[in-house]
Amino acid sequence: MSLIGAKVLRKEDPNLITGQGQYVDDLAPAGCAFMAMVRSTEPHARIVAVDTSAARSMDGVLAVWTSADIAGLPARPSSLPGMDMPLIAGDAARFVGDIVAVVVATDRYTAADAAEAVIVDYEPLPAVASLAQALAADAPMIHPVLQGNTVFFQDYTEDLSAEFAAAPRTASLSLVNNRCAPVPIEPNVVLADWGPAGLTVWAAFQAPHHLRNTIAAFFGISQDTTRVIAPDVGGGFGAKINFASEIFLAAALSRALSRPVKYTQTRSECMVAMFHGRAQEHKVDVAFDDSGKILALKVQVTQDQGAYPDATGMGLPVLTTAMSAGCYKIPKVAVSWRNVVTNTTPVAAYRGAGRPEASYMIERVIDLVADETGVDPIEVRKTNFIPADGFPYQTHSPLAVYDSGNFAGALDELLRHVDYPALKAEQAARLADPNAKLLGIGFSSWLEIAGFGPPGSLEAFGHLASWESAQVRVQPDGSAIIYTGASPHGQGTVTTFAQIAADQLGIDFERISVRHGDTAVIPQGIGTMGSRAVAVGGEGVKTASTRVFERAKKIAAHLLEATEDDIVVENEEFHVRGTPSKSVPWSQVAWKSFQPLELPAGMEPGSLDATVFQQVPNFSFPSGAYCCVVEIDRETGEVEIRNMYLVDDCGTVINPMLVEGQVHGGVAQGIAQALYEHMQYDESGVPRTATLMDYLVPAAPDLPGYVSGRTVTLNPSNTLGAKGVGESGSVGAPPAVINAVVDALSHLGVKHIDMPATPQKIWSILRGSK
Amino acid sequence: MGMIPARFDYRQAGSVAEALQLLASCDDAKLLAGGHSLVPLMKMRLVSPSTLIDISGIAELQGVTDAGSVLRVGALTRHRVVERSQVVAQHVPLLAHVAGLVGDPQVRNRGTIGGSLVHGDPAADLPSVALATGATMVVTGSGGERRIAASDFFVDFLETAVGPDEILTAIEFPKRTGAGFGYEKFVRRSMDYAIVGVAVQAGEQPGIALVNMGSVPRRADAASRALASGAGVDAVAALAADGTNPPEDLNANADYRRHLASVLTKRALLAAGYR
């Protein structure tokens, strides 16, 4: 029986839920010292002097470093030339949270006391706290090399003035995609141990091999003596593929002090130091006809990069503009983007990374067109969908060739769960009753680009390559170990990869282990990001398992004196098809695979071991249709999500329980962006939401129950047919929620409301209408 | 930044007398009860007391006693105990109800009623109950006990009438057996502090008190007077924010808070049985 599609319990859980998991902070090698940071309290300031004398004289303090102490080291990797982020700020601090000095002490408490004893003399400089401030004439500059604050500008890819002039109708929309903090439960944590035999770094990281390669290059040491271990990792959401300066500082200090150095970020530090996500503004123009058919679309994205542009972060608007047409066949699309620096925390990947911004934009546009034409939003979607037989579909972007999809099918499946006519009737009845809460119904037909794997796709972001490694090794007792380069941080990869391998090998799921996250055990790998683990890494496990199984069949055929083509496996027994009595157990085949005298001619011992570097020809394109039903309290402006209907199409489902978990988590983060979370700065660049008291991560009781459905459109780029699902919910949920909120208020003439839709914002609208 | 408090000494007090002695002998000492207000401030290094005097083991300050016309609640009684107390539910049901709305179960199992009241946080729930019900604070110092009306207890932002060498030992709530009550708490997230809250105690001496509508916990005086004189719910609710100077933050400006105070007052009055 196939395990693909089976609701198998997670192999990871017994360890994690009994407190036996091992996170970096759990490790404490002998002699371990502790690092603490002195961070800038100024958004933008010249650093006049850093007085470390009091800190240095404290008992237990081993080192206090300022920028002078790292003179020989490069800037943080993934920086842009001339706009480098130094590991420790030198002449100037450029955001609240910028590292100004580093302290190492024999324990965490002393390190914290010493960090507080460092005195920094700042001379405040004018700061830019927002895109508007950064782009104003005569705006203060952050990086003199720029002659302004724009790092890169791409003008509209096409002139659509003729199309817009000829169109029966046009409309425009300005959108803010609110800055979010990733807030994984485990913040950035690192332990570095640099000894005579080499450097070992334990880090809460999503791509340990990427980090190994980068650390080795950074210090000019060789990769054979550089080892990176990502043990259990408590969430990442994209933020743990960023090269946090702390990682390199811990290694440098370990080298200098000849002892292990550990750093555990506090939550307060994490809020300002871990790179943020989203932070885009969109200017959108759409041309359409009376039927709601979209004729042309112009999108200009302005990306806030924070104080130091990150190479990955620079790619966010590229992905947003590539996916700007969403599920729709729009004859003409012109895109433009600019990357702008501000005196804020740098911005890079956060769950969805550029794609939630695109789906939010185009799904708001669809509802705007519906509102302008009076055509129902469902009809506008159906009118403009790329048809199910329209694939492969070349979009306006060379990056995105949609390979499969069934957008109308997903919407139809959604409408089987949603009684739309009844909701419309209820909405009208509530509108007529001044004591009733307002009802809003919002849809999103969303699509994203995922499965980062085609050659070149990750190289563009500084990775070694875009394949994923998989090794399948059968042990002498017939159990198997899978080694994957796609190191997980909560995805359940240990379970899903064992399911995939069990199917191909005919070995019991319980006797398959999955290893990951240690570059000494898995020599090469890429990592877990961009919803790629199953679509690329899982496919690799399948390929390697198939190779091993073919060799095992050869051995079994030799032992059974039968022909290979007649060999089948059942219940861990190889037998000749139709002759179950003539059999040999997997354990025997495994044992003998190491004994030269037992092997068929030409087969080497130890051959039940295969490594592949799995390549895929294209990205994957998960899609779906969501519906959100909200109630709005007319007196307080509070939005409550009554129902959330979710139809996902991630292709083949390996484990429905884990897919549901990924969708629920992503949707929770999407709802959070739509209603709660917003990283805000005051006009001078001081963060206003730097604690979890002010930055509103919703709790479980704030989230609705979900009704889930599914359509399955196979991914043609791998044999599994799986597309990836890690980011889907965060892509699909925000537009559904905001479309519902706008729908509830549309009788007041409301065309748009920026995220998060807070009670005060809505109360202001409701009050203004009286 | 966060997490790690500055160095401090730690002392345990086994009795009120011992705690008072320690308070008098240590400079810059703080009493530690449940720690749910104090410890976060210490971790942020907003407060750095030289000594913590742990009073959480003092048995005489724990529990609820029926003392005739009042319920006497020991200052160290945990929110969870108050929330689940049958005698509180019977005689001061507003208190039992609101105790069950403080923070989350972990906070309620740890935090104490006295700790919440002496912290004097205008955004906390329980001060409004003390104000709406007309409770009396029992404070003990070296000279013995003194009693302070709830309306005189909250002096300024995070400051109460408890002196530096005194301990809040008990709170006496007048019994409100059988009287209606209402509590409305508007939050952005479940388990958060109230953006605005309103407590209504019905009965012979009705009271309305507000949460997070100024720098101190306070009664809604004009509304309470109107209620006592028999005004209808709309008229009373319209007076809820009278004389307040509500704080402004990311969640609510002053106008919105005044509006919420009215809306929530009406809802709390309706819940308390007024029409």
Side-chain angles (χ1 to χ4, degrees):
Chain A
M1 195 188 78
S2 173
L3 281 184
I4 303 291
K7 188 174 171 175
V8 177
L9 291 182
R10 278 163 43 113
K11 280 178 180 281
E12 294 91 334
D13 282 345
N15 227 21
L16 296 176
I17 64 181
T18 57
Q20 310 289 304
Q22 196 166 55
Y23 298 87
V24 178
D25 193 48
D26 294 323
L27 306 170
C32 187
F34 295 80
M35 186 166 79
M37 301 296 162
V38 178
R39 295 183 182 276
S40 175
T41 52
E42 294 291 322
H44 197 195
R46 198 170 74 80
I47 298 172
V48 181
V50 183
D51 181 356
T52 61
S53 53
R56 278 177 205 277
S57 66
M58 293 172 76
D59 278 350
V61 172
L62 302 171
V64 184
W65 278 12
T66 64
S67 67
D69 298 290
I70 55 158
L73 292 175
R76 188 190 76 88
S78 198
S79 291
L80 262 59
M83 293 164 269
D84 308 280
M85 180 170 181
L87 296 185
I88 301 174
D91 57 326
R94 296 180 179 85
F95 69 99
V96 171
D98 218 352
I99 296 169
V100 178
V102 182
V103 171
V104 179
T106 48
D107 66 273
R108 276 191 88 179
Y109 292 84
T110 305
D113 287 347
E116 201 174 59
V118 172
I119 299 159
V120 185
D121 183 5
Y122 297 104
E123 178 188 311
L125 297 169
V128 289
S130 65
L131 288 171
Q133 285 180 19
L135 294 171
D138 301 325
M141 288 199 295
I142 302 172
H143 300 287
V145 69
L146 288 180
Q147 300 301 314
N149 291 310
T150 298
V151 183
F152 178 82
F153 175 66
Q154 165 69 56
D155 205 349
Y156 284 108
T157 45
E158 210 174 331
D159 177 7
L160 300 184
S161 45
E163 283 80 359
F164 273 78
R169 288 163 170 267
T170 63
S172 298
L173 198 54
S174 293
L175 307 171
V176 175
N177 210 285
N178 43 320
R179 176 187 286 249
C180 293
V183 201
I185 289 180
E186 181 196 34
N188 274 328
V189 189
V190 59
L191 167 64
D193 189 2
W194 197 321
L199 169 64
T200 302
V201 172
W202 291 261
F205 209 75
Q206 296 175 218
H209 299 86
H210 189 32
L211 184 57
R212 177 203 58 194
N213 299 349
T214 304
I215 286 177
F218 181 90
F219 288 106
I221 56 177
S222 118
Q223 292 182 2
D224 70 305
T225 53
T226 309
R227 179 181 182 187
V228 171
I229 301 170
D232 285 325
V233 177
F237 309 119
K240 288 182 185 166
I241 41 177
N242 298 321
F243 296 119
S245 302
E246 295 93 329
I247 296 171
F248 302 88
L249 287 169
L253 277 151
S254 176
R255 178 169 61 176
L257 297 170
S258 297
R259 58 196 288 176
V261 171
K262 184 156 91 174
Y263 168 73
T264 301
Q265 206 169 46
T266 66
R267 180 61 61 192
S268 308
E269 287 184 290
C270 185
M271 294 304 292
V272 295
M274 183 177 274
F275 290 3
H276 295 161
R278 311 290 188 260
Q280 289 186 356
E281 292 183 9
H282 295 186
K283 184 181 174 303
V284 197
D285 301 286
V286 57
F288 51 101
D289 67 17
D290 290 342
S291 73
K293 175 83 191 150
I294 298 177
L295 306 171
L297 181 72
K298 280 173 67 181
V299 181
Q300 184 164 68
V301 176
T302 306
Q303 174 73 55
D304 187 341
Q305 299 295 160
Y308 302 97
D310 172 83
T312 304
M314 288 290 289
L316 296 174
V318 178
L319 291 172
T320 305
T321 52
M323 296 305 293
S324 281
C327 305
Y328 308 104
K329 191 169 186 171
I330 301 177
K332 285 285 182 185
V333 180
V335 297
S336 162
W337 71 90
R338 77 173 81 221
N339 307 78
V340 177
V341 286
T342 58
N343 290 110
T344 61
T345 297
V347 174
Y350 169 54
R351 201 170 194 166
R355 293 95 84 199
E357 297 90 324
S359 72
Y360 178 70
M361 181 277 296
I362 188 65
E363 290 304 292
R364 287 296 303 118
V365 165
I366 291 289
D367 272 32
L368 178 69
V369 169
D371 188 71
E372 295 281 327
T373 55
V375 179
D376 191 275
I378 297 280
E379 288 313 309
V380 176
R381 286 181 170 81
K382 290 188 169 177
T383 299
N384 290 287
F385 276 147
I386 298 162
D389 61 1
F391 298 92
Y393 180 83
Q394 174 65 59
T395 65
H396 62 281
S397 163
L399 199 62
V401 183
Y402 302 165
D403 57 10
S404 62
N406 182 4
F407 309 133
L411 186 52
D412 287 339
E413 169 64 16
L414 180 72
L415 291 170
R416 291 199 318 110
H417 299 276
V418 180
D419 190 345
Y420 191 43
L423 285 170
K424 296 290 281 184
E426 183 186 347
Q427 181 179 45
R430 282 166 172 270
L431 196 53
D433 174 2
N435 293 318
K437 289 184 176 179
L438 295 168
L439 192 79
I441 311 150
F443 293 92
S444 84
S445 286
W446 55 270
L447 169 75
E448 62 151 331
I449 186 167
F452 280 64
S457 59
L458 288 172
E459 290 88 331
F461 293 108
H463 291 261
L464 169 66
S466 303
W467 40 253
E468 192 50 85
S469 72
Q471 183 184 9
V472 174
R473 173 187 288 174
V474 176
Q475 299 293 80
D477 67 353
S479 62
I481 306 175
I482 312 301
Y483 301 86
T484 175
S487 187
H489 44 286
Q491 286 77 6
T493 303
V494 166
T495 304
T496 49
F497 282 18
Q499 288 179 255
I500 293 167
D503 260 26
Q504 299 306 315
L505 293 170
I507 293 175
D508 193 287
F509 171 80
E510 298 299 336
R511 298 208 302 142
I512 299 176
S513 292
V514 178
R515 304 269 164 81
H516 58 80
D518 183 346
T519 64
V521 177
I522 298 105
Q524 314 307 336
I526 302 300
T528 294
M529 56 260 167
S531 301
R532 70 189 300 275
V534 168
V536 188
E539 179 72 5
V541 169
K542 184 178 173 185
T543 306
S545 300
T546 307
R547 280 185 202 167
V548 166
F549 182 68
E550 291 305 318
R551 292 174 198 164
K553 252 172 48 171
K554 278 197 172 71
I555 299 170
H558 175 71
L559 296 173
L560 294 170
E561 296 174 339
T563 57
E564 196 185 322
D565 293 344
D566 291 338
I567 299 292
V568 292
V569 68
E570 249 174 328
N571 301 324
E572 297 199 340
E573 296 266 344
F574 289 91
H575 63 81
V576 178
R577 196 189 312 273
T579 318
S581 56
K582 205 174 174 191
S583 73
V584 56
W586 232 120
S587 55
Q588 278 286 316
V589 172
W591 190 262
K592 289 179 175 172
S593 75
F594 292 95
Q595 298 177 323
L597 297 178
E598 302 287 350
L599 292 173
M603 187 170 281
E604 297 279 328
S607 63
L608 298 187
D609 186 332
T611 300
V612 303
F613 290 79
Q614 183 68 46
Q615 301 185 60
V616 293
N618 193 3
F619 293 97
S620 68
F621 294 89
S623 60
Y626 290 174
C627 173
C628 176
V629 180
V630 299
E631 289 185 0
I632 296 181
D633 185 317
R634 293 197 212 204
E635 290 182 310
T636 65
E638 188 176 28
V639 177
E640 188 182 346
I641 297 181
R642 189 171 84 178
N643 308 100
M644 195 89 195
Y645 303 94
L646 314 167
V647 172
D648 275 86
D649 191 335
C650 60
T652 302
V653 170
I654 309 298
N655 185 327
M657 181 183 70
L658 296 187
V659 164
E660 213 171 329
Q662 285 288 344
V663 170
H664 289 186
V667 166
Q669 278 176 312
I671 291 172
Q673 186 182 11
L675 296 181
Y676 296 98
E677 297 185 16
H678 186 192
M679 193 71 202
Q680 297 178 68
Y681 291 83
D682 72 12
E683 282 191 0
S684 71
V686 174
R688 303 181 73 188
T689 50
T691 74
L692 293 181
M693 290 278 281
D694 301 306
Y695 185 82
L696 302 179
V697 178
D702 301 313
L703 298 166
Y706 305 115
V707 176
S708 300
R710 179 167 311 293
T711 57
V712 176
T713 313
L714 296 181
N715 178 357
S717 294
N718 61 37
T719 66
L720 282 171
K723 296 186 175 192
V725 72
E727 295 160 295
S728 296
S730 66
V731 175
V737 175
I738 294 298
N739 282 344
V741 171
V742 172
D743 181 55
L745 301 171
S746 65
H747 63 285
L748 304 173
V750 172
K751 303 256 182 209
H752 175 66
I753 181 164
D754 275 326
M755 299 187 288
T758 65
Q760 179 170 280
K761 247 184 227 179
I762 293 172
W763 170 71
S764 302
I765 293 167
L766 290 164
R767 180 174 66 160
S769 72
K770 280 188 181 156
Chain B
M1 296 174 86
M3 273 306 287
I4 297 179
R7 180 174 292 276
F8 58 89
D9 289 331
Y10 173 84
R11 306 293 294 271
Q12 268 184 326
S15 66
V16 173
E18 192 183 348
L20 287 170
Q21 196 184 1
L22 285 166
L23 260 183
S25 65
C26 304
D27 281 342
D28 191 26
K30 280 272 182 197
L31 297 175
L32 175 70
H36 272 53
S37 302
L38 178 61
V39 174
L41 293 174
M42 290 172 63
K43 285 185 167 183
M44 300 296 284
R45 298 198 175 200
L46 296 170
V47 176
S48 299
S50 62
T51 307
L52 285 188
I53 302 166
D54 186 351
I55 56 170
S56 62
I58 303 179
E60 61 194 282
L61 298 186
Q62 315 210 8
V64 180
T65 319
D66 187 334
S69 63
V70 299
L71 280 192
R72 188 181 165 102
V73 181
L76 289 178
T77 311
R78 306 214 189 256
H79 303 312
R80 196 68 160 162
V81 172
V82 176
E83 173 190 354
R84 293 185 160 186
S85 160
Q86 286 301 313
V87 65
V88 175
Q90 188 184 350
H91 296 301
V92 195
L94 174 63
L95 175 61
H97 177 66
V98 176
L101 297 174
V102 174
D104 54 43
Q106 288 93 326
V107 169
R108 296 200 288 279
N109 275 308
R110 201 69 214 150
T112 65
I113 185 170
S116 175
L117 292 169
V118 290
H119 189 51
D121 188 336
D125 298 289
L126 290 170
S128 71
V129 176
L131 288 163
T133 58
T136 300
M137 311 296 173
V138 181
V139 172
T140 306
S142 53
E145 277 189 2
R146 66 187 181 105
R147 308 170 98 72
I148 307 167
S151 52
D152 298 326
F153 186 73
F154 301 103
V155 175
D156 205 339
F157 182 66
L158 304 187
E159 190 184 333
T160 67
V162 179
D165 292 343
E166 289 181 320
I167 299 173
L168 173 67
T169 45
I171 306 96
E172 290 177 353
F173 291 91
K175 283 188 182 173
R176 300 294 197 154
T177 320
F181 68 91
Y183 188 74
E184 290 291 326
K185 181 177 183 178
F186 188 77
V187 290
R188 284 285 278 120
R189 287 181 299 194
S190 54
M191 305 178 282
D192 267 359
Y193 283 99
I195 291 171
V196 175
V198 177
V200 168
Q201 176 62 59
E204 281 183 20
Q205 285 178 298
I208 303 172
L210 305 172
V211 179
N212 215 4
M213 283 295 287
S215 57
V216 292
R218 55 171 296 155
R219 266 170 81 97
D221 289 320
S224 295
R225 279 195 302 274
L227 184 64
S229 67
V233 291
D234 285 315
V236 174
L239 294 169
D242 255 34
T244 62
N245 186 15
E248 305 222 333
D249 56 33
L250 291 173
N251 291 314
N253 59 27
D255 273 356
Y256 185 44
R257 276 206 162 82
R258 286 191 197 95
H259 168 77
L260 285 174
S262 269
V263 169
L264 300 178
T265 298
K266 181 174 174 182
R267 290 178 185 181
L269 287 167
L270 291 172
Y274 292 100
R275 290 295 174 265

